[in-house]
Amino acid sequence: MSKSKSEKKIHRITLIPGDGIGPEVTSAARKVLAATGVLIDWEIVDAGAGAVDKYGSVLPEETLESVRKNKVALKGPITTPIGGGFQSVNVQLRKALDLYANVRPVNSALGITFQHSPIDMVIFRENTEDLYAGMEYEVAPGVAQSLKIITEKASTRIAKAAFEWAQKRERKLVHAVHKANIMKKSDGLFLDSVRKVAANYPDVTYKEIIVDNCAMQMVMHPEQFDVVVLGNLYGDIISDLAAGLVGGLGVVPGANLGDDVAVFESVHGSAPDISGKGIADPVATILSATMMLRHLGEHKAADRIQAALVLLFAERKHLTPDLGGKATTDELVDALIAKIKILR
Ligand code: NAI
């Protein structure tokens, strides 16, 4: 970070545009950030299948170095081949940078929900192990094995991250989600680790819920959830379910946090079905960038973007097709920037 003549901070940030709709939604977010007047010097780097020709790798060392150096990145989604092909770049990136906490706020602040009660939860998904450890084997022809790795260390630190978040923001309740009735050793260790952390936060109520019941409760009574802490696989599935309660993947942001480095990206993937059509919803990435602004201490700019989004959604005139609207990505961004300028 350096200072300009007017003493305004310039933030140096790594940008990984990704593929599919990634370049469309990250470019939209950059325009919105620029409209707030926050100064950002973007270092644009590659990752994914497109990086192989140039660097010989889907996750070049140059990309990792850039994030390690700048400590903050905004990232678009990256496609992962199904079945064969390379291991998910997203999983590799999170492991390489030890981004252990995937934080996904899900709320009805934009007014899109089928529920009567307001929804306001923050999902803490463990990001480095579980069935995503990538330890899969063909044991014999016709028999495959995938190892679910759960450690006390990873379970403890995701629990600490969730309780710290709850305490700092005066949230009252943390739910741990598990299936320890069946996976007594692995989910049992996760639960034991969370319980030990919970004991250090007497002001935060602690509850446990089995994952299948959690899925049903979240659909029927989502208002009962506040902070939710889960392993990697349950966190992935439950956060998409939760996204569906408030307008879908087009509007839910996320952050991957380590002790030293933070990578902000929306929950959604590269959406190959709509890529290149100019209709991707950029709101999830704009909100991820807003989380990034708060991480950088730029709270005023973040407040302005959020207030402008509330106004935009109240009008319902400039929404993209995923929310039943007719606007293109660019039309939504232009309308949002006009509101940001008014809120100046
Ligand atoms: P997806 O999230 O890309 O798409 C699911 C559905 O939601 C599609 O119908 C899509 O059109 C819609 N959608 C997603 N984002 C949208 C947006 N911003 N605006 C409007 N509609 C949107 O999930 P899918 O199809 O399972 O995955 C596609 C690829 O993305 C896969 O290769 C997957 O591995 C990858 N992926 C990457 C992630 C990342 O980079 N963090 C996260 C999730 C998936």
Side-chain angles (χ1 to χ4, degrees), residues 216-288:
M216 182 196 69
Q217 293 290 338
M218 211 169 258
V219 171
M220 295 192 73
H221 303 292
E223 72 284 352
Q224 69 185 294
F225 294 98
D226 187 346
V227 174
V228 186
V229 60
L230 323 86
N232 207 339
L233 177 65
Y234 306 149
D236 199 4
I237 297 168
I238 293 291
S239 50
D240 268 34
L241 183 155
L245 300 171
V246 297
L249 291 172
V251 294
V252 175
N256 298 291
L257 306 179
D259 286 331
D260 209 26
V261 170
V263 176
F264 296 84
E265 66 173 331
S266 45
V267 174
H268 65 71
S270 56
D273 51 340
I274 56 165
S275 157
K277 294 186 177 163
I279 54 163
D281 193 335
V283 171
T285 307
I286 292 168
L287 282 172
S288 306

Side-chain angles (χ1 to χ4, degrees), residues 15-30 74-79 266 268-272 274-276 280-282 285 329:
L15 178 72
I16 306 172
D19 54 36
I21 61 169
E24 300 167 47
V25 291
T26 52
S27 145
R30 282 179 67 185
L74 181 66
K75 175 183 167 296
I78 296 172
T79 305
S266 45
H268 65 71
S270 56
I274 56 165
S275 157
D281 193 335
T285 307
T329 310

Side-chain angles (χ1 to χ4, degrees), residues 33-292:
L33 291 184
T36 66
V38 171
L39 300 177
I40 297 178
D41 177 13
W42 296 100
E43 189 167 290
I44 302 174
V45 295
D46 287 325
V52 176
D53 283 349
K54 199 166 160 197
Y55 298 95
S57 162
V58 288
L59 184 56
E61 190 49 40
E62 286 83 347
T63 299
L64 290 172
E65 251 331 290
S66 169
V67 185
R68 283 192 192 107
K69 176 175 54 109
N70 296 328
K71 302 199 183 307
V72 180
L74 181 66
K75 175 183 167 296
I78 296 172
T79 305
T80 307
I82 293 175
F86 55 83
Q87 200 205 2
S88 162
V89 177
N90 308 301
V91 173
Q92 287 186 53
L93 182 87
R94 291 164 195 171
K95 283 211 268 187
L97 298 171
D98 205 16
L99 298 164
Y100 59 85
N102 190 185
V103 185
R104 296 174 161 183
V106 175
N107 57 63
S108 49
L110 296 178
I112 301 210
T113 174
F114 306 112
Q115 308 291 332
H116 299 296
S117 314
I119 297 170
D120 184 12
M121 64 180 108
V122 184
I123 293 175
F124 276 76
R125 167 190 172 196
E126 202 290 322
N127 227 359
T128 61
E129 56 179 29
D130 198 345
L131 280 161
Y132 289 52
M135 297 170 86
E136 287 199 306
Y137 310 94
E138 187 178 301
V139 182
V143 185
Q145 182 186 42
S146 190
L147 296 184
K148 173 166 168 135
I149 308 294
I150 299 291
T151 64
E152 186 179 6
K153 181 183 166 200
S155 305
T156 301
R157 64 184 183 172
I158 189 67
K160 267 192 189 155
F163 276 92
E164 277 297 310
W165 180 285
Q167 194 168 58
K168 276 200 189 118
R169 289 161 181 81
E170 296 184 3
R171 285 180 173 263
K172 301 278 176 261
L173 171 66
V174 173
H175 270 97
V177 182
H178 67 95
K179 191 80 186 176
N181 49 329
I182 304 296
M183 282 163 276
K184 293 178 193 296
K185 296 271 186 238
S186 53
D187 281 20
L189 176 59
F190 174 79
L191 216 45
D192 275 352
S193 310
V194 183
R195 279 177 193 159
K196 282 184 194 149
V197 173
N200 299 323
Y201 296 83
D203 298 339
V204 180
T205 305
Y206 172 61
K207 290 187 180 174
E208 295 170 353
I209 186 164
I210 294 176
V211 63
D212 35 350
N213 182 31
C214 174
M216 182 196 69
Q217 293 290 338
M218 211 169 258
V219 171
M220 295 192 73
H221 303 292
E223 72 284 352
Q224 69 185 294
F225 294 98
D226 187 346
V227 174
V228 186
V229 60
L230 323 86
N232 207 339
L233 177 65
Y234 306 149
D236 199 4
I237 297 168
I238 293 291
S239 50
D240 268 34
L241 183 155
L245 300 171
V246 297
L249 291 172
V251 294
V252 175
N256 298 291
L257 306 179
D259 286 331
D260 209 26
V261 170
V263 176
F264 296 84
E265 66 173 331
S266 45
V267 174
H268 65 71
S270 56
D273 51 340
I274 56 165
S275 157
K277 294 186 177 163
I279 54 163
D281 193 335
V283 171
T285 307
I286 292 168
L287 282 172
S288 306
T290 307
M291 290 176 81
M292 183 180 83

